[in-house]
Amino acid sequence: SFLRAPMVDHVLVGRLIQSKSLKDVELIQLAIVGFSSPQTGGEILFVEKVSVSDEERNSHLIPFEKIQYQSTLQRLQVEYGFRPEQVEILSEDDFIIPGLIDTHIHAPQYANAGLGSDLPLLDWLNFYTFPTEALHHSKNKDYSQKVYSTVVRRCLSQGTTTSVYFATIFRESTEILADIIAQLGQRAWVGKVCMDRNSPSFYVEQTEDSISETEKFVQNILEKKNNLLSPIVTPRFVPTSSAELLAGLGDLAKKYDLAIQSHVSENLKEVDWVKELFPERKSYTDVYDHYNLLTKKTILAHGCHCTPEEHHLLKFKGAGISHCPISNSMIQSGLLPVRELLNNGVRVGLGTDVSGGYNTSILDVIRHAILTSNILQQLEDVRVRRDGGVTNPDIRLTWKEVFYLATVGGSQLLRLEDKLGTIEKGKYFDAIVVSLGEEAGGVVDVFEKDTLADRFQKYLFRGDERNHRKVFVGGRMVYPFAK
């Protein structure tokens, strides 16, 4: 009973665009990609790059008929034993990209998406967020079902193949979220939120309950043995967590070898509050480290006001930052100097942070990450003109770098860079088929002069779910949704 290699389930023939490195994007005029069925893991079995554009300016669309790919396809057919009807030749206006990864999103807050730009973080939590999350109590399951199925479907349609979710303090409704994710086929990390102090009376836990309910949730998810679904330890943030809660969650993460998520240094008042609550600790990040919550599997959102010392601690521990530029601006938290983090060796991914951020789209986050870096560059140039000295020209981020953060960066935060982030043999087939053809609709207009690189940039800045012909997670087509 030897293990058979997985069989090819589906083969796509078409253009392929992905990150080669932080600075470089690979433009493939024609690739042949074969992957196994979702039941056998949806793994990529081969990627044949038949025609590659060496330079962006030379990447004008080559018609498929001018690319000699038939013999390669026939060779693969013999080698892997797939049938002609398993082969799908994409339109010449389409291209395949790796699925987008959202490393920070609050599922219950989706009901508030688009609200709340009038208040800074701490007031925003009390006025908008805690009351909205509190609606997900055990007597309100229909509401949870409605909100959670809406947000997961929205994420999939927008090409988010992997999400890292905060839910609420209620275990039962958090399990409803996990069930919906499993049913719709997204790859996800799901956390039951933990908070035992400095919270409203209608939305707070006892310390022991918070830890025991989290453990029960973790066991329930692990028992499902769904390789797309993982539990994640989720203290909301330091101000709503007692020392006992942080210690208990640190022990739990260690016991089950789990990923951890929380927030750090989002807002200046929050940073001051943490100093008051834990005067004996060196920094906000140090609090997490002290309670064994800063590991190579930790994702901390924001980090706008982290010090260089905290950057070094993050690097040393292998923890990563989820950059949430829309939320950082929307609820007036700060501007994250991403370049500084990257230069200091800290891992960075992107997060929508709904509903601090108003949209579940990682494409929108890509745009704002670029704009935020441009603003930081302008502030630096103005400062140097005013105060003298030499300007640092390396603050702004390019579209190539931010696309890398949206795909490879996210996979690095999840410690799955060997399985996600690019379309390569041995990785999972998590991908989007992007269509810029006229029949796609949407607002991306392309012209004959546009190279493959131009088309991709237009998609990054103007595309949306109307341009997503298909979305795959682990080899399963998860969008368009089955009728």
Side-chain angles (χ1 to χ4, degrees):
S1 64
F2 61 93
L3 285 171
R4 289 188 59 191
M7 304 275 287
V8 172
D9 183 58
H10 200 66
V11 177
L12 292 177
V13 177
R15 309 190 196 279
L16 170 62
I17 301 173
Q18 60 184 350
S19 289
K20 268 208 292 213
S21 67
L22 182 65
K23 303 276 185 201
D24 208 8
V25 164
E26 183 173 42
L27 301 159
I28 299 160
Q29 292 277 355
L30 192 138
I32 305 173
V33 183
F35 50 94
S36 70
S37 71
Q39 294 73 27
T40 57
E43 207 172 277
I44 299 167
L45 302 176
F46 58 81
V47 181
E48 285 281 339
K49 297 166 188 177
V50 184
S51 174
V52 180
S53 288
D54 294 330
E55 290 184 54
E56 280 169 56
R57 63 177 175 275
N58 297 337
S59 65
H60 282 281
L61 294 200
I62 303 171
F64 288 172
E65 66 199 32
K66 291 202 175 152
I67 301 172
Q68 303 297 317
Y69 70 90
Q70 296 295 350
S71 58
T72 309
L73 188 58
Q74 281 158 6
R75 172 174 61 73
L76 291 167
Q77 218 167 311
V78 170
E79 199 177 324
Y80 289 92
F82 53 87
R83 300 181 308 282
E85 59 269 25
Q86 288 171 282
V87 178
E88 180 182 354
I89 296 171
L90 298 175
S91 155
E92 302 202 354
D93 287 317
D94 294 355
F95 50 83
I96 304 163
I97 63 170
L100 304 171
I101 298 176
D102 185 351
T103 57
H104 186 68
I105 175 170
H106 295 262
Q109 294 177 24
Y110 183 68
N112 278 355
L115 307 177
S117 65
D118 53 332
L119 294 175
L121 174 67
L122 301 176
D123 301 322
W124 173 88
L125 283 170
N126 287 313
F127 187 78
Y128 288 103
T129 302
F130 293 151
T132 296
E133 290 188 12
L135 294 171
H136 289 266
H137 56 78
S138 57
K139 294 190 177 66
N140 212 2
K141 288 184 180 141
D142 289 350
Y143 177 73
S144 296
Q145 191 83 33
K146 176 93 171 77
V147 172
Y148 290 155
S149 56
T150 307
V151 68
V152 176
R153 290 167 76 93
R154 181 67 67 204
C155 289
L156 286 170
S157 73
Q158 291 174 320
T160 305
T161 51
T162 298
S163 289
V164 185
Y165 290 106
F166 273 61
T168 65
I169 64 174
F170 307 116
R171 177 177 56 81
E172 287 182 23
S173 76
T174 304
E175 287 173 356
I176 290 173
L177 172 59
D179 288 343
I180 286 167
I181 292 164
Q183 191 189 323
L184 291 171
Q186 194 184 27
R187 193 181 299 282
W189 277 251
V190 180
K192 185 204 89 60
V193 173
C194 300
M195 39 200 278
D196 69 341
R197 66 165 171 173
N198 296 327
S199 309
S201 56
F202 60 83
Y203 194 58
V204 68
E205 304 170 286
Q206 297 298 318
T207 309
E208 303 72 35
D209 295 344
S210 186
I211 296 166
S212 66
E213 285 289 276
T214 297
E215 182 158 28
K216 201 179 284 184
F217 171 72
V218 166
Q219 290 170 341
N220 290 350
I221 297 297
L222 294 176
E223 275 166 22
K224 293 180 192 291
K225 290 188 167 46
N226 177 343
N227 73 342
L228 296 178
L229 196 59
S230 308
I232 183 166
V233 171
T234 308
R236 181 177 215 104
F237 66 156
V238 166
T240 53
S241 309
S242 66
E244 298 74 30
L245 179 60
L246 292 170
L249 294 175
D251 292 344
L252 208 57
K254 197 171 178 186
K255 178 176 173 182
Y256 293 94
D257 188 25
L258 297 171
I260 297 156
Q261 64 176 345
S262 195
H263 301 83
V264 73
S265 300
E266 180 174 358
N267 161 298
L268 289 169
K269 278 189 178 166
E270 168 211 15
V271 174
D272 293 341
W273 193 9
V274 171
K275 251 183 221 149
E276 284 168 30
L277 294 170
F278 289 91
E280 72 286 1
R281 301 266 54 94
K282 292 199 271 298
S283 65
Y284 197 153
T285 307
D286 183 47
V287 178
Y288 291 120
D289 189 34
H290 180 74
Y291 293 104
N292 300 318
L293 290 165
L294 196 69
T295 73
K296 65 175 194 198
K297 289 182 165 188
T298 298
I299 298 174
L300 295 175
H302 308 290
C304 300
H305 307 290
C306 284
T307 62
E309 291 72 35
E310 286 178 282
H311 291 171
H312 294 308
L313 181 57
L314 289 164
K315 184 196 174 179
F316 180 67
K317 291 290 180 171
I321 291 284
S322 175
H323 177 33
C324 306
I326 300 181
S327 168
N328 291 343
S329 295
M330 179 106 166
I331 55 175
Q332 310 137 60
S333 298
L335 302 169
L336 180 71
V338 173
R339 178 72 68 209
E340 207 176 298
L341 286 165
L342 295 173
N343 287 347
N344 286 331
V346 180
R347 294 161 175 259
V348 180
L350 299 184
T352 57
D353 193 26
V354 163
S355 70
Y358 55 78
N359 193 349
T360 45
S361 164
I362 286 289
L363 288 173
D364 240 6
V365 177
I366 287 172
R367 295 155 196 167
H368 282 261
I370 292 167
L371 297 178
T372 295
S373 75
N374 288 349
I375 290 165
L376 282 167
Q377 186 71 65
Q378 288 158 26
L379 291 172
E380 163 77 352
D381 297 346
V382 167
R383 182 189 65 76
V384 168
R385 173 169 279 206
R386 190 190 60 219
D387 302 340
V390 180
T391 192
N392 170 7
D394 186 38
I395 293 171
R396 58 178 294 275
L397 300 168
T398 67
W399 60 269
K400 293 178 186 177
E401 291 174 312
V402 180
F403 176 62
Y404 178 91
L405 299 182
T407 51
V408 181
S411 74
Q412 290 174 342
L413 252 59
L414 293 162
R415 294 285 170 178
L416 275 177
E417 53 267 57
D418 59 333
K419 285 291 180 190
L420 299 175
T422 52
I423 308 294
E424 291 177 79
K425 184 175 177 170
K427 293 193 175 188
Y428 298 126
F429 190 68
D430 288 18
I432 310 168
V433 177
V434 175
S435 179
L436 300 184
E438 281 178 16
E439 76 288 353
V443 299
V444 185
D445 294 314
V446 289
F447 301 94
E448 275 164 36
K449 73 165 188 63
D450 290 331
T451 61
L452 188 52
D454 294 340
R455 287 161 173 258
F456 181 52
Q457 278 185 79
K458 285 185 169 187
Y459 161 73
L460 287 182
F461 280 95
R462 304 194 68 198
D464 58 32
E465 56 268 44
R466 289 170 292 186
N467 301 107
H468 294 161
R469 189 189 288 282
K470 291 180 180 183
V471 178
F472 292 87
V473 176
R476 171 183 167 189
M477 190 176 82
V478 292
Y479 177 80
F481 306 116
K483 289 281 181 282

